[in-house]
Amino acid sequence: MTDPTCTLPLGAEFPREHRWPVTLRCGPVVLRPLRRRDAGEWVQVRELNKDWNGPWDATAPPGAKNLATSFAQMVRAFDRQARQEQSLPFVICWDEAWPQRRSRPTRLPLRGQLTVSNITWGSARFAHVGYWVDQRLAGRGVMPTALALATDYCFQVMGLHRIEVNIRPENDKSLRVVDKLGLRDEGVRERYLHIAGDWRDHRSFAVCAEEVPQGLLSRYFASSPPGFAADR
């Protein structure tokens, strides 16, 4: 059930209180927890999109330790972090049946990932978001919708104050996502993340809760609504 004080387009849904696992929805875009039985589909989608997403994938720097060595280990680590309120490891799904009917989230195929990570509480209350999506869904507004939906949940339900997204300066398609949402450009972080075998610069984008009192989804739909909104 949604919070009645929040303005959510297209019947977007999330619960009043945070408890993992959680599923979020806005129209045909669904965020559900990553599961061990997603392994085969995850490998298949990643392989189909290796040229599309591969250049932006994080890599292990020399001497890195304690990295997951299997899909099951990755899921277990993500789930443990989620239950400790340190991350939200979501799968991005696309409901082909919408708007005629709403499919059960557990039956929807995996089409990408969005992870809210490094959740920090205390006086900070911030987190980072990373994501990738199947190229076959490019141009439909899936990624901006998913990022806005997750951000609204973090602000309105979990009580976080700041969400940050860090993007390679060369990653034009990801830069378009934050541009559509109007996230604030905070400049370049030099040698921020290890990608493709070296430490790479990133541009840092952020939004704080007081900047979007009616929600980031509502701001996005008011300024540049995704194409699927016309199907409503």
Side-chain angles (χ1 to χ4, degrees), residues 137-224:
L137 292 182
R140 301 192 193 185
V142 175
M143 201 61 255
T145 301
L147 178 54
L149 181 62
T151 298
D152 284 352
Y153 181 78
C154 287
F155 286 167
Q156 298 171 1
V157 177
M158 296 188 71
L160 295 182
H161 174 253
R162 172 186 166 94
I163 292 293
E164 185 175 303
V165 181
N166 295 287
I167 302 170
R168 288 276 300 278
E170 306 90 347
N171 191 345
D172 292 336
K173 59 182 181 288
S174 195
L175 292 173
R176 285 195 293 272
V177 171
V178 294
D179 181 62
K180 289 179 180 179
L181 295 178
L183 269 61
R184 181 176 60 257
D185 188 343
E186 296 190 331
V188 175
R189 292 190 172 187
E190 296 185 9
R191 297 176 292 279
Y192 176 76
L193 194 64
H194 199 273
I195 292 178
D198 205 352
W199 296 102
R200 309 291 180 176
D201 295 349
H202 282 63
R203 284 174 61 187
S204 185
F205 298 84
V207 61
C208 294
E210 62 268 23
E211 297 175 65
V212 285
Q214 297 303 315
L216 188 56
L217 266 177
S218 292
R219 187 169 80 176
Y220 170 44
F221 274 69
S223 61
S224 56

Side-chain angles (χ1 to χ4, degrees), residues 9-225:
L10 283 190
E13 296 179 0
F14 45 65
R16 290 177 184 271
E17 297 181 359
H18 174 65
R19 179 176 296 177
W20 188 260
V22 65
T23 297
L24 317 179
R25 174 189 283 268
C26 179
V29 179
V30 177
L31 300 180
R32 64 163 175 80
L34 181 68
R35 310 164 301 188
R36 279 186 292 179
R37 62 178 176 270
D38 289 319
E41 201 165 46
W42 186 88
V43 171
Q44 181 183 45
V45 175
R46 292 289 295 172
E47 179 63 22
L48 285 171
N49 289 271
K50 61 183 179 181
D51 294 332
W52 173 255
N53 290 310
W56 320 114
D57 288 344
T59 51
K65 298 179 181 179
N66 301 322
L67 297 179
T69 58
S70 70
F71 186 85
Q73 288 177 321
M74 179 180 72
V75 173
R76 283 197 298 270
F78 273 147
D79 191 59
R80 180 176 64 253
Q81 294 166 10
R83 295 184 185 281
Q84 294 172 350
E85 297 190 352
Q86 297 173 346
S87 74
L88 301 174
F90 288 118
V91 162
I92 301 170
C93 301
W94 175 260
D95 189 352
E96 292 284 357
W98 186 92
Q100 284 72 32
R101 63 180 177 85
R102 292 154 50 95
S103 304
R104 291 178 58 184
T106 54
R107 296 182 176 177
L108 292 173
L110 181 156
R111 290 293 180 262
Q113 269 185 273
L114 182 148
T115 304
V116 181
S117 61
N118 299 322
I119 296 176
T120 302
W121 296 100
S123 300
R125 289 185 172 260
F126 62 73
H128 301 88
V129 179
Y131 50 80
W132 61 266
V133 72
D134 192 330
Q135 185 177 4
R136 292 170 292 183
L137 292 182
R140 301 192 193 185
V142 175
M143 201 61 255
T145 301
L147 178 54
L149 181 62
T151 298
D152 284 352
Y153 181 78
C154 287
F155 286 167
Q156 298 171 1
V157 177
M158 296 188 71
L160 295 182
H161 174 253
R162 172 186 166 94
I163 292 293
E164 185 175 303
V165 181
N166 295 287
I167 302 170
R168 288 276 300 278
E170 306 90 347
N171 191 345
D172 292 336
K173 59 182 181 288
S174 195
L175 292 173
R176 285 195 293 272
V177 171
V178 294
D179 181 62
K180 289 179 180 179
L181 295 178
L183 269 61
R184 181 176 60 257
D185 188 343
E186 296 190 331
V188 175
R189 292 190 172 187
E190 296 185 9
R191 297 176 292 279
Y192 176 76
L193 194 64
H194 199 273
I195 292 178
D198 205 352
W199 296 102
R200 309 291 180 176
D201 295 349
H202 282 63
R203 284 174 61 187
S204 185
F205 298 84
V207 61
C208 294
E210 62 268 23
E211 297 175 65
V212 285
Q214 297 303 315
L216 188 56
L217 266 177
S218 292
R219 187 169 80 176
Y220 170 44
F221 274 69
S223 61
S224 56

